[in-house]
Amino acid sequence: MKTIRSKTIVFVTGAFVSHTGWDPWKTYFESKGYICLAPPWPTKEAPPAVLRSKQPNPEVAGLRLNRLIDSFETVINGLPEKPILIGHSLGGMLTQVLLSRGLAEAGVAIHSLPPQGIVPTQFPFYKSAGAALGFFTSTREAYLMSFKKWQYAFTNNMPLEQQKIAYEKNAIPESKLCIRDTLTSLAKVDFSKPRGPLLFTAGDIDHCIPAGLNLTNFKKYKNNKSVTDYKVFPGRNHFVLGQPTWQEDADYILDWLSEH
């Protein structure tokens, strides 16, 4: 019996990048009959170049996870139906949190940052994003990933010119406080609570959120009778939303939505 009837999708952006990275996805899913939104994070409404120009950007630096979650709850509560959530990275974690709260009909967590209680053991994870926690640095200053970090964390295995273009179009400052908040109960998920269908996708060359970390996240739901699925795509790094293969991932998600 089909359980996903919603035709509304809310794309949930992750850390370090602009919500505009969803633009091709919005256009594509709208062509398939969905109504799509990709709300910017609070304090991050401006274009990437503008946000970078304001670095160390104290406005972004002050963003906390509770405000971010509240902003998505407000968007969802203003919709005529419970949406499908499709989130990337920290946005994938938010998808898990919001779905567990009963605010969505279904969720897709793309290379999801794990919720509270899952301790990453993979070295590339800490090399990619550890600096964003900003320990021993001022929390009044936002964290802006350097291009060298970006190459390792987001666009590994891509040609240099594509890495540069991706950085210019997407990279933005991030709140160290918001990243730290993902270690608290604000990022807590009840893995056994009944909820709508949930799909995890992972990439086998992702440094920032390694596939093994996604698998651990997925396995936390092993005692949940709700639909939970997992898919690893070859050749996907953390810039999965903007890789030339993004439409293949989108098609897989569309098929999964149609089947559940």
Side-chain angles (χ1 to χ4, degrees):
M1 180 178 176
K2 183 169 172 57
T3 59
I4 304 175
R5 301 184 182 277
S6 179
K7 299 301 288 184
T8 303
I9 292 176
V10 176
F11 292 105
V12 189
T13 310
F16 314 117
V17 292
S18 170
H19 65 288
T20 56
W22 290 111
D23 286 352
W25 287 68
K26 282 181 60 184
T27 300
Y28 191 62
F29 276 78
E30 286 167 350
S31 75
K32 305 299 181 181
Y34 288 91
I35 299 167
C36 300
L37 301 83
W41 285 20
T43 73
K44 295 184 176 184
E45 297 86 352
V50 173
L51 292 170
R52 291 195 300 268
S53 73
K54 296 180 179 180
Q55 186 62 4
N57 209 319
E59 184 181 18
V60 169
L63 179 64
R64 303 302 296 257
L65 185 60
N66 60 339
R67 182 182 174 190
L68 177 59
I69 293 172
D70 288 347
S71 73
F72 277 97
E73 287 196 0
T74 298
V75 169
I76 291 169
N77 290 333
L79 298 174
E81 62 180 350
K82 284 187 179 181
I84 298 160
L85 301 179
I86 301 179
H88 171 250
S89 196
L90 195 151
M93 185 206 74
L94 292 178
T95 294
Q96 292 179 249
V97 170
L98 295 168
L99 185 64
S100 74
R101 294 184 182 184
L103 293 169
E105 191 167 287
V108 179
I110 301 172
H111 302 216
S112 184
L113 179 72
Q116 185 194 37
I118 299 176
V119 179
T121 58
Q122 296 85 357
F123 172 74
F125 170 84
Y126 293 101
K127 183 175 179 180
S128 296
L133 291 166
F135 295 127
F136 312 113
T137 66
S138 173
T139 56
R140 290 176 292 183
E141 298 183 357
Y143 170 78
L144 179 61
M145 187 177 289
S146 68
F147 177 64
K148 184 176 181 180
K149 279 276 190 183
W150 173 266
Q151 288 178 288
Y152 181 83
F154 272 79
T155 55
N156 52 294
N157 288 42
M158 290 172 61
L160 177 60
E161 192 57 32
Q162 289 183 21
Q163 291 178 324
K164 290 179 179 178
I165 292 171
Y167 185 85
E168 291 300 317
K169 291 179 65 175
N170 294 278
I172 60 176
E174 190 51 78
S175 165
K176 302 168 190 174
L177 293 171
C178 189
I179 299 298
R180 291 184 195 180
D181 286 342
T182 65
L183 304 175
T184 72
S185 60
L186 287 169
K188 182 178 177 60
V189 169
D190 184 345
F191 294 103
S192 63
K193 183 180 178 181
R195 39 102 186 123
L198 174 61
L199 169 66
F200 286 92
T201 71
D204 70 343
I205 62 168
D206 189 335
H207 287 159
C208 194
I209 308 291
L213 184 53
N214 287 138
L215 183 60
T216 300
N217 196 348
F218 164 72
K219 286 182 175 179
K220 293 290 284 188
Y221 291 92
K222 65 182 179 181
N223 295 322
N224 192 316
K225 295 181 180 179
S226 303
V227 172
T228 314
D229 293 320
Y230 177 76
K231 169 69 175 178
V232 180
F233 289 96
R236 282 14 172 221
N237 55 30
H238 204 59
F239 192 60
V240 54
L241 302 184
Q243 285 186 275
T245 48
W246 72 265
Q247 195 167 309
E248 295 175 20
D249 301 58
D251 284 337
Y252 184 92
I253 292 168
L254 283 164
D255 288 342
W256 182 84
L257 292 172
S258 70
E259 293 169 1
H260 293 88

